[in-house]
Each structure stands twice: as C-alpha cells, then as structure tokens.
Amino acid sequence: MTNTLTDTPTPAARAAALTRRDFPAGFVFGVATSSYQIEGAAHEDGRSPSIWDVFCAQPGRISDGSSGAVACDHYHRWEQDLDLIAALGVDAYRFSVAWPRVVPAGRGPVNPAGLDFYERLTDGLLARGVQPHVTLYHWDLPATLQDQGGWTNRDTAYAFAEYSAAVAARLGNRVASYATLNEPWCSSVLSYEIGEHAPGTRDRAAALSAAHHLLLGHGLAMPEIRRHAPQSQAGIVLNLGPQESASDRPEDILAARQADGRFNRWFLDPLLRGEYPADTWADVGADAPPVQDGDLELIRVPNDFLGVNYYSRGVIGAQGGVLPEGASVTDMGWEIHPQGLTDLMLRLNADYPNLPPIYITENGAAFADERSGDRVHDPRRTEFLSTHLNALLNASQAGVDIRGYFAWSLMDNFEWAYGYQKRFGLVYVDYTTQERLLKDSALWYQAFLK
Ligand code: FCB
C-alpha cells in the first residue's frame, strides 16, 4: 500500500516489506525464552525449588492456578525445540539458566547434572549454527535464599556472583553473550513492592534494597564472567520504556518524571553513571537502599552491551498510568506503540554518553491465538513485530548503535502471574499434547530472515 499523494510507503507498509537486508550487516536476529517459563522438570536431576515454585503453590497468586512444574516440558524436548529454532532461520537464541539447577542450596556445592543440561543446549545450538545468548538470572531464585531474605539480603549478591562463576566456568567462551540479570525492576519493584511476582511482598523499602543488591550482584558477577569467558560479551538486560506525561498539567508532568525515575533512571544511572538519580532518591525518602562505600564503583562496571526489553510506553497522570484514547492494546492490556521504541533508543543515546551497544533482548505481544487445523492466524503479532522492527531501524539509521533483536518468545509459555492464559509465542504450544505449531508470525519471521 502506498500513499498516492506522495508515493512514499506508509509506516505499516514499509514495515510489512522489511527484510533483514534492510538492517546493518552482522545485525543479530533471534528468539528468547526463560528457564522457569519453559523447562518444567521442576524436581529432576537435583534441581531445588525456586521462589516461583513456592509462589505458585500459594492460592490466588497465579490467575489460572497453574505453575511452571511442567510448562513446555522443554527440559525433555530440548532437541526438538533446538531443531525448531534452527528451522526459523534465526542467528541466535536467548535462554536463561536456572540457578536452583546449578547451585541447589543457593550457595555452596555445584550440581554438575544441572550444568550438563545447559552444556547440551549450548553445544546443540552451536551444532545447528545458532549463537547461544545466556541470561544468568531470569527470576528463579533458589527458595532457600528467600528464606534468608532473598534479594533484601546483601549476601545474595555474593551468592549470585559465585553461581555466575560456576556457569561461566563450564560454558566459557562457547556462549556469545552473558547477561547477568533480566529486568531488575521486575525482580525488585514488581516482586517486593507491588507483590505481583515472587516473593509477593508489598514493601517499598524492601524493593529498593532488593534493587540495590541485584545491581551489586551484577557488579560482582561481571568480573567472574570475564575471568572465565574472556571472549564472550557480558552485560545486563533492563526493561525500559518512555514514561510520558498524560497532559501538560504540572502534576502530570511531575508524576511522569517520578515514574521515569523509578522505572528507567533508577537502574540506568547507577549502571552507566555510577550514581542513583538525586530526584528519585529524594522522592523515596527513608526507603532509600543501604548503599555501602564502593558499591557504586562495582555497579558502574563497563558492559559490552545493554540489553533492552521493550513492550510499551507509560502514559502517566497524577493518578497513575492511563491508556491514551483510541489506543490499541495487546491481550495484556499494554498499549501498542512502536514509536516508543525509537524514542527510547534516541533518548538513551542522548542521555548516556557511556551507552554500550544495544541489543533488544525482548519485544513481542500476547494475543488470544486460536488454532484452526494446522494453522494459527496471528496477523496482529506479525504487525507488532514488523512495526517494532521498523521503529528500531529508524533509530539505527539515526545513529544509535543497535546490534540485534530477539523476539519474545520462541513459543507460548508460562506467563508468570497470568499462568498459561497469555500467549506470546511465535510458535503455538498445545499444553495437553505438548505439540508445537508455527504460527503465521513465525512463518513471517522465517521469510523476513531468508
Ligand atoms: C518480560 C519478561 C518475560 C516475559 C515478558 C512478557 O517482562 O522478561 O519473561 O514474561 O515480559
């Protein structure tokens, strides 16, 4: 479709016509998952319970009453899943390692059988010509560490560095990139303050303490990764999004600034500038975290990359987040706003002189997909992915150093507090038979990558 007046393609038409050749040479395209969301096999080969096993067992925590105990049974079906990944034609696969498989007691002895699984995955990917990208912490903390306060306990940061060293020592340079943490906002604020994720407490001071210890864990783990895997890239993954004011009323502008401080700058500034944002520090008052001398120097460790997970923007009024009139939303109720990805990239580039190269480590959408015979028609997901890739390309062409893009997710999986009710996959999963079926969006991605 073209605009007949000017003959320039509309953004949607330009997006639909995109192929990987429009992106810079070497740009990495992949798909992503995480351990608890797909593996299952919760009690096998020495894995101990994680905080998510505990959380899912508490009535009312998960909307469909489910858990990740079986999930996509990927722990047993990994070979066929790797074949599927290879068939998509992606360059890379981002997965996470379950800490309770590798160090079941949280701290102390390493369980070789746990590492064996991730070594099989790593070698299986390499054998298929797919780069392995590892995330060390995608929220499945060993439950025994939660008994000692979880991330509110400073010792957890040291335990994380030891566990990270064990993984990097085994997988070494075979892994293309190691990300220490996935989305520390979620594993602190959403988990300890909002209470929607494990461990489900509601305490702002606890959340800020957890966030600080997560960042400290990143700072402590980075040198361990570099020591054991000097040729791999090492960095961190944040969930970020523009937090825009709902109007130009001063109270809305103030609320948007505060939201930006809590959501974006609270993590970006310590990592990239070595300081917490002064305005937000003042906003949180007595709930500010216990920072010890030297912590910020550790946290400001150089990263080879910054992973960014982008799903939506926030539109913020004095009363909280609002949905702009006429907004289209995904099945999560999140506004679909590709321009936010361009805006976010440009803002990071402008505000952080030390910004490392960026990978979009997650982007995608849930829709209520239904199977019709052997097909799953999900045109809205294809449109979501292509318009966001187009938005990313705009930022790349404007000079932001963006090196790759991972679609969330390879396949439908356990979507945390929503259980199996939200489908983010490019591949459909029938949870009764564990059958996998490429959705139309997967066929589109395959064609885009050809
Ligand atoms: C992100 C998480 C990922 C998935 C998507 C939808 O916050 O990193 O595990 O749940 O959201």
Side-chain angles (χ1 to χ4, degrees):
M1 202 195 323
T2 52
N3 177 331
T4 45
L5 285 180
T6 61
D7 247 18
T8 30
T10 63
R14 187 178 117 125
L18 277 184
T19 77
R20 69 170 306 153
R21 282 183 299 278
D22 296 309
F23 286 77
F27 198 92
V28 171
F29 289 96
V31 285
T33 63
S34 87
S35 48
Y36 191 71
Q37 294 180 275
I38 65 165
E39 286 179 358
H43 309 290
E44 279 176 56
D45 297 336
R47 178 189 180 281
S48 69
S50 80
I51 55 173
W52 274 91
D53 298 292
V54 173
F55 191 67
C56 291
Q58 297 169 359
R61 294 297 201 178
I62 310 300
S63 55
D64 60 0
S66 66
S67 77
V70 176
C72 305
D73 195 32
H74 170 72
Y75 192 79
H76 299 117
R77 294 167 195 265
W78 63 273
E79 277 195 278
Q80 95 177 58
D81 288 339
L82 295 196
D83 289 341
L84 199 61
I85 293 166
L88 287 175
V90 292
D91 311 306
Y93 174 52
R94 172 177 179 246
F95 61 96
S96 80
V97 174
W99 184 346
R101 289 195 194 282
V102 174
V103 186
R107 209 163 184 178
V110 171
N111 172 32
L115 283 172
D116 289 347
F117 174 66
Y118 298 106
E119 184 163 67
R120 287 197 291 277
L121 271 188
T122 300
D123 290 340
L125 287 165
L126 292 171
R128 288 165 178 80
V130 179
Q131 303 169 16
H133 290 255
V134 165
T135 301
L136 290 160
Y137 185 70
H138 203 125
W139 311 347
D140 39 3
L141 187 74
T144 103
L145 292 182
Q146 193 62 48
D147 299 339
Q148 297 152 53
W151 288 104
T152 66
N153 183 343
R154 189 177 168 91
D155 291 345
T156 300
Y158 293 87
F160 174 68
E162 291 164 16
Y163 147 71
S164 299
V167 176
R170 174 70 89 88
L171 302 181
N173 293 324
R174 284 175 285 180
V175 167
S177 85
Y178 290 91
T180 52
L181 308 174
N182 178 67
E183 301 190 350
W185 180 88
C186 287
S187 38
S188 58
V189 179
L190 194 59
S191 302
Y192 288 84
E193 178 176 346
I194 300 173
E196 192 181 308
H197 279 188
T201 51
R202 285 173 177 250
D203 177 344
R204 187 171 74 170
L208 291 166
S209 159
H212 181 67
H213 296 140
L214 281 154
L215 291 173
L216 180 63
H218 165 73
L220 294 167
M222 285 289 285
E224 298 297 331
I225 298 166
R226 296 209 184 283
R227 190 152 65 86
H228 293 290
Q231 276 144 47
S232 305
Q233 304 278 296
I236 186 169
V237 172
L238 302 179
N239 51 320
L240 302 172
Q243 303 297 311
E244 293 165 21
S245 174
S247 78
D248 46 22
R249 293 184 3 230
E251 55 272 37
D252 290 353
I253 293 172
L254 172 67
R257 184 207 31 90
Q258 290 176 329
D260 179 59
R262 289 294 313 277
F263 192 73
N264 296 316
R265 290 181 286 120
W266 195 260
F267 299 92
L268 287 164
D269 286 16
L271 289 164
L272 300 178
R273 292 195 173 130
E275 62 193 22
Y276 281 105
D279 59 330
T280 312
W281 187 274
D283 289 344
V284 301
D287 288 342
V291 177
Q292 295 188 8
D293 278 357
D295 285 1
L296 284 156
E297 283 67 38
L298 287 167
I299 292 169
R300 191 186 32 194
V301 62
N303 295 288
D304 299 318
F305 68 93
L306 174 67
V308 175
N309 295 352
Y310 175 77
Y311 288 93
S312 191
R313 67 170 166 178
V315 179
I316 310 293
Q319 260 62 56
V322 295
L323 203 56
E325 222 173 290
S328 52
V329 297
T330 68
D331 200 29
M332 300 293 283
W334 299 345
E335 184 195 2
I336 301 174
H337 190 63
Q339 180 62 37
L341 181 55
T342 313
D343 296 344
L344 173 65
M345 294 295 109
L346 296 176
R347 182 258 177 117
L348 292 176
N349 205 42
D351 286 2
Y352 295 94
N354 296 328
L355 188 70
I358 290 180
Y359 286 82
I360 302 303
T361 33
E362 288 181 28
N363 174 243
F367 293 108
D369 304 314
E370 279 172 29
R371 180 179 179 156
S372 55
D374 277 347
R375 296 292 296 271
V376 178
H377 301 301
D378 61 340
R380 300 193 67 203
R381 181 171 294 100
T382 299
E383 188 184 343
F384 185 100
L385 297 173
S386 65
T387 51
H388 282 78
L389 279 165
N390 189 41
L392 191 63
L393 184 58
N394 289 340
S396 165
Q397 289 173 346
V400 188
D401 186 358
I402 306 163
R403 305 276 176 94
Y405 174 92
F406 292 77
W408 183 272
S409 178
L410 165 65
M411 58 186 159
D412 294 335
N413 56 49
F414 176 76
E415 179 47 37
W416 309 113
Y418 296 88
Y420 297 97
Q421 290 170 327
K422 303 294 177 195
R423 293 183 176 272
F424 273 94
L426 273 67
V427 174
Y428 183 88
V429 176
D430 178 332
Y431 293 110
T432 54
T433 61
Q434 290 294 350
E435 191 188 345
R436 278 81 159 126
L437 198 63
L438 270 62
K439 300 180 191 176
D440 288 356
S441 58
L443 301 174
W444 169 82
Y445 202 33
Q446 213 172 30
F448 167 92
L449 293 167
K450 269 237 165 80

